[in-house]
Amino acid sequence: MATAARVASLLLSPPAALPLVRLQRTRPFAHISTKTRLITSASAAAASMASTASKPKIIDSHLHVWASPQEAADKYPYFPGQEPTLPGDVDFLLQCMEEAGVDGALIVQPINHKFDHSLVTSVLKKYPSKFVGCCLANPAEDGSGIKQLENLILKDNYRAVRFNPYLWPSGQQMTNEVGRAMFSKAGELGVPVGFMCMKGLGLHISEIEELCTEFPSTAVLLDHLAFCKPPINDEEKLAFSALLQLSRFPQVYVKFSALFRVSRMPFPYEDLSHSLSQVVSSFGANRVMWGSDFPFVVPECGYKGAKEAVSLIVNRVPLSSSELEWIMGRTALQLFRNQWLS
């Protein structure tokens, strides 16, 4: 009876709890604890960060910077006779890289400052996660360039060195005593040597082969497809064949860079599609890397155009999206031990 009376009383009472029920229904996740919501939110944030981190980085393996005229007057003078005719200051470069979606770059010491690395060193220190430095080897006969190379690597954190054969003393080759010592030192310190064969690979192929054979622990970078244009005569076919045969040295990498210098056609330099296909077939995409040659490329096709040309060329081959990723950044990241991820 007591139970029946209590039920009757509840049925006759006004529904005071109903407004509360309605309020609860307007909060669809009120039953989820604060802790659970925090965990879910953190997981979503982590997933977003992982998605951003997994986006392939675009790395430019070959460009230059030099002082603006004001910087040259104040602190970083040009080498006499090597005054630039194009703007190449770091602020202009950063603007170009942002517009093109390029994440990082290897700065090659420009001839405009010759062996004075102070301008490039200042840029490396200001933007340590953006840029990696390639210094210029000084082949002075007194051997002073060997110590300079060591200091630039160990003290100023340069991660590569460029051999310009046209800076060697007249009548001497890169395989002379000083050249061998610098090449050996580079391998000892774990930095690659880049070769600039502007006057033709055929003039320097024997030196490169000799150094690669004697010092297999020194990685090698061949700038600008070793300056091999799509061959149209026997001499050029021999040079391009020599380039492909360098793939037998596992430490040799090719820069698919400064396309305007090695193409016979205007942008987008489609005659390089066959050259790229053969280089990738011989070396593998994981030993090929894109480079712009900023700022020289700017009046040719623009910095952004330098990047876009590669995709257009690759589409004509065609190469896989994975191979394109290697060329546009993964090769450089691997070779330079993820310097741009720090």
Side-chain angles (χ1 to χ4, degrees), residues 30-238:
H31 64 286
I32 300 177
S33 69
T34 301
K35 180 179 179 181
T36 302
R37 285 199 297 273
L38 288 173
I39 292 172
T40 303
S41 177
S43 298
S48 176
M49 289 174 66
S51 175
T52 302
S54 64
K55 181 183 176 183
K57 281 191 176 290
I58 306 297
I59 305 297
D60 186 339
S61 73
H62 195 107
L63 53 72
H64 309 278
V65 293
W66 48 69
S68 66
Q70 187 61 53
E71 289 174 321
D74 292 345
K75 194 173 182 180
Y76 304 111
Y78 306 126
F79 189 81
Q82 296 290 349
E83 295 80 7
T85 57
L86 295 170
D89 58 275
V90 69
D91 290 336
F92 180 37
L93 170 60
L94 288 168
Q95 176 188 335
C96 290
M97 290 175 67
E98 184 176 358
E99 290 173 355
V102 174
D103 300 294
L106 179 71
I107 299 177
V108 180
Q109 170 72 8
I111 196 65
N112 311 85
H113 294 287
K114 208 165 183 182
F115 302 123
D116 178 2
H117 289 72
S118 55
L119 180 277
V120 171
T121 300
S122 72
V123 172
L124 298 178
K125 288 181 177 177
K126 189 173 182 180
Y127 303 99
S129 62
K130 196 82 172 176
F131 299 116
V132 172
C134 174
C135 59
L136 180 62
N138 180 356
E141 290 184 275
D142 63 3
S144 58
I146 302 167
K147 188 63 178 176
Q148 183 185 24
L149 170 62
E150 191 171 11
N151 287 336
L152 287 166
I153 294 169
L154 297 179
K155 294 182 180 179
D156 295 322
N157 204 34
Y158 282 77
R159 301 264 56 91
V161 55
R162 187 181 215 191
F163 275 31
N164 179 343
Y166 317 113
L167 295 177
W168 256 251
S170 179
Q172 298 195 38
Q173 294 189 323
M174 295 181 289
T175 48
N176 68 359
E177 185 178 353
V178 170
R180 297 165 90 86
M182 287 194 293
F183 193 86
S184 175
K185 177 62 69 174
E188 178 187 324
L189 297 175
V191 303
V193 172
F195 288 105
M196 185 186 75
C197 304
M198 185 173 281
K199 296 180 181 179
L201 178 61
L203 294 176
H204 311 291
I205 185 66
S206 62
E207 299 163 75
I208 295 171
E209 290 175 330
E210 186 176 332
L211 290 169
C212 286
T213 300
E214 186 171 347
F215 305 102
S217 63
T218 303
V220 165
L221 309 174
L222 299 172
D223 296 346
H224 313 334
L225 276 177
F227 286 86
C228 290
K229 292 190 174 188
I232 57 174
N233 57 47
D234 290 342
E235 183 181 351
E236 291 176 348
K237 288 175 183 176
L238 282 173

Side-chain angles (χ1 to χ4, degrees), residues 267-294:
F267 175 86
Y269 316 119
E270 292 179 346
D271 60 334
L272 295 177
S273 59
H274 187 57
S275 298
L276 178 60
S277 176
Q278 289 182 290
V279 167
V280 170
S281 293
S282 296
F283 288 85
N286 62 331
R287 288 164 64 192
V288 181
M289 60 188 88
W290 166 72
S292 68
D293 202 21
F294 172 94

